[in-house]
Structure formats: structure tokens, C-alpha cells
Amino acid sequence: MTDNRTNRTNHTNRSDRHTHDHAGHRTTDADLRRALRRETAGTLALLADEEDFTAMRQYETFAFDDHARYLDHVEDLLHTLTTHGGHTTVALFDPEDYADYCADTALDPDHPTSRARYTAERAATGPRVQYTGQPLTTLVPTLIDTAVRRATWEYATTLLTETGPCADCGQDIGRASFDRASQLLLRLLDAAGPGTHHLVCSVPVDDEQLIATLHVTRDTTGPARIDSAEGAEFVTVLAAGIALHSPGGLVLRTTAPGDRDRLHGWRLHAGLLHPLTEAEVFDAYCTDARTGEPIAPEPHVDYRPGFPLAPPHDDTHPH
């Protein structure tokens, strides 16, 4: 038989087991677990709108029946995870995509484990936002905007891929259009000068409006600072307009300390950005695109014509 006192002693030794860190400080197993937790990343897939939430209520194992209460619990969980030092990202839970995923993987959709696997394998690879303590009223719009941007970029990329080679010269139209769009953006930013720039590119394609935005900061010295992902999305949408000969447009808003904001605009035509006049820029900004009704001009803003841009090099597709 085993001596119970020996068991208790061994148990106590395991509970009090400790080591020392590089600085010589004593650390317990609990300290080490907390340290490991801080290095563990997690993803939470969120049902952002009422329609998606309602779609999930068909499953008996889905515990919630009120979307507002569900969001409250989500926010509490995120706050708890952050309090414990975990790195958490938030993705969108798409019920339709989830059903397809379960059908493809032969999983029971009415099971929490299936939802967890979907989140880990598919939602975690899609658009997501890091949770840093921001309220859901801030996080959800950011997440939705991120998802829309990703979908726009993917669609524009598909359009470029499907353009194929030029019938006249054999050059890949999609790649050449991307190169041309990249050159046009760099020329525009060089001409824009220092300041904080906000660009919007709009391209109509197949009864849809592809819209990309780009935030750029440029000091009085040095090159413009561009987020690589945002820059790629912007250039891809502009390239789609070039490749498909779409009558798109581009507007630029520049903010600099101590100065009034400046608004400029261009029309996309034949693979080039043609400057709008001051009146055209004013009309573009001061007209409701949905109703056509006039909008009051913004205070402390100057509406200016687009400035001329040098054409890209001749090695890009000219058509």
C-alpha cells in the first residue's frame, strides 16, 4: 500500500514547484502559465448584424436568442481575454459560409465544436481586426469596412486576372494595368507634396461601384509613407478601371498644419488621370451622389483643379 502522507507530500511539492527566470526571480507554475497565455493568440468570430444572428438561431446548440445581449456577452469576453494578457483578433462569422464549410467537411453544423473549428480554420484566415479594448461600436464598423475592402480587392484582382493578353501586342493586360496604376499613384503623390493625404478611387464595373481609399503621410523630406496592404488594394482597383476602360474617378484631400484643406480631382480615361476643373471638383464634392441634390460646401476647404500628371513609361500597356 502507498503511504497517504507520502502522497500528500508529493502533491504539495508539485503545487509549490518553482524555478527562476533569467534575472533570478522566483517563478511558479502559475506564473509560467500566465506567461504562456500572453503568447497565445485567439480568434473570435462575431455575428455582427441581426440577420446573421437570426440565421444562427436555427441551431439548437446556439445559446442566444437576443442579438443585443449576445453582443454584451461578446464584449465582456473580449475584455476578459485582454485582461489576462491574451492577443485576440475578431473576425466575421458568416452563417452561409459556415453551412458550406460544414457540408464540405462532413461536420454537424449544430455543434459548438464545429463552430469553433470554422472559426479556427476559415474565419481566422479572413478579414479580422485586433481587439485592443475598443468598444464594439468602434470595432464592428472597422471590421465590416475591413471585410468590404478585402472583398473589393479580391474582386478587382479577379477582374485583372481574367483580362488575359492583349490581342495586338500579347502583353498581359492585368499586369500592365497594375504597373500603370502604380506609376500614376506615385506621380500623384510626388506632385501632391507634404501633408496628410486621403485618396478615394471609384470605378464602375458591371453595375457595381468599386471603391478604394488610401491614407498617406508625407513629411517635407523623405518619401510618402503608405500602408502596403491599403496601397495594394487602391492600386488594384485603379488598375481594374484601366484594364476595363471604365470611366472612373479619383479625388485627393490634403491636410497640412496651419493650412486649409485642399481638394483635387481627376477623371480616369484611356489609362490616364485627366485633371478636373475647379468647378468640376466643387460639383463632385457638393452634390449628393445618390439624390443629385446639392450639398453645402465644407468650411475651411479649398476646391481646386486636379494637377497635371506625367504619363507612365511607354513599357506599360497603353490601351
Side-chain angles (χ1 to χ4, degrees), residues 86-129:
H87 176 89
T88 305
T89 57
V90 182
L92 288 175
F93 195 105
D94 184 337
E96 185 175 346
D97 185 57
Y98 171 66
D100 292 340
Y101 169 82
C102 289
D104 293 340
T105 55
L107 290 175
D108 177 8
D110 197 1
H111 199 284
T113 302
S114 301
R115 294 193 284 273
R117 282 188 56 178
Y118 169 79
T119 298
E121 296 179 19
R122 185 169 294 187
T125 62
R128 55 197 183 276
V129 173

Side-chain angles (χ1 to χ4, degrees), residues 151-219:
T152 299
W153 173 72
E154 290 177 347
Y155 181 48
T157 299
T158 299
L159 292 174
L160 288 178
T161 303
E162 293 176 346
T163 53
C166 174
D168 296 327
C169 65
Q171 190 175 14
D172 185 278
I173 297 175
R175 179 177 295 277
S177 298
F178 190 91
D179 291 341
R180 175 175 284 251
S182 300
Q183 290 188 44
L184 286 172
L185 175 61
L186 292 177
R187 278 164 163 67
L188 189 151
L189 293 176
D190 284 342
T196 299
H197 307 296
H198 177 70
L199 299 92
V200 179
C201 179
S202 177
V203 174
V205 176
D206 295 335
D207 297 326
E208 293 190 35
Q209 198 77 14
L210 300 184
I211 298 177
T213 61
L214 179 63
H215 299 272
V216 179
T217 301
R218 184 178 179 188
D219 298 326

Side-chain angles (χ1 to χ4, degrees), residues 1-75:
M1 296 179 64
T2 303
D3 192 324
N4 288 334
R5 289 174 298 177
T6 302
N7 279 343
R8 286 196 296 271
T9 300
N10 290 339
H11 178 74
T12 301
N13 288 340
R14 285 196 299 271
S15 298
D16 293 343
R17 189 170 52 198
H18 65 272
T19 184
H20 294 82
D21 62 17
H22 294 297
H25 300 136
R26 177 174 172 172
T27 57
T28 66
D29 284 347
D31 294 328
L32 295 174
R33 284 192 294 271
R34 282 192 292 271
L36 185 60
R37 188 183 297 119
R38 288 193 293 269
E39 298 185 20
T40 302
T43 301
L44 184 148
L46 173 70
L47 294 161
D49 61 43
E50 190 80 40
E51 182 178 351
D52 286 345
F53 178 83
T54 301
M56 291 302 295
R57 292 190 60 196
Q58 66 179 299
Y59 303 118
E60 292 184 1
T61 57
F62 185 71
F64 296 92
D65 58 8
D66 182 82
H67 190 227
R69 188 180 180 190
Y70 161 80
L71 293 177
D72 287 340
H73 282 283
V74 166
E75 194 155 24

Side-chain angles (χ1 to χ4, degrees), residues 226-267:
I226 306 174
D227 178 86
S228 58
E230 200 175 65
E233 293 166 2
F234 189 90
V235 170
T236 302
V237 169
L238 179 57
I242 293 172
L244 300 175
H245 312 288
S246 296
L250 189 152
V251 292
L252 165 70
R253 182 175 191 140
T254 298
T255 302
D259 289 337
R260 293 163 60 93
D261 283 8
R262 305 189 308 273
L263 300 177
H264 304 268
W266 292 263
R267 178 184 298 106

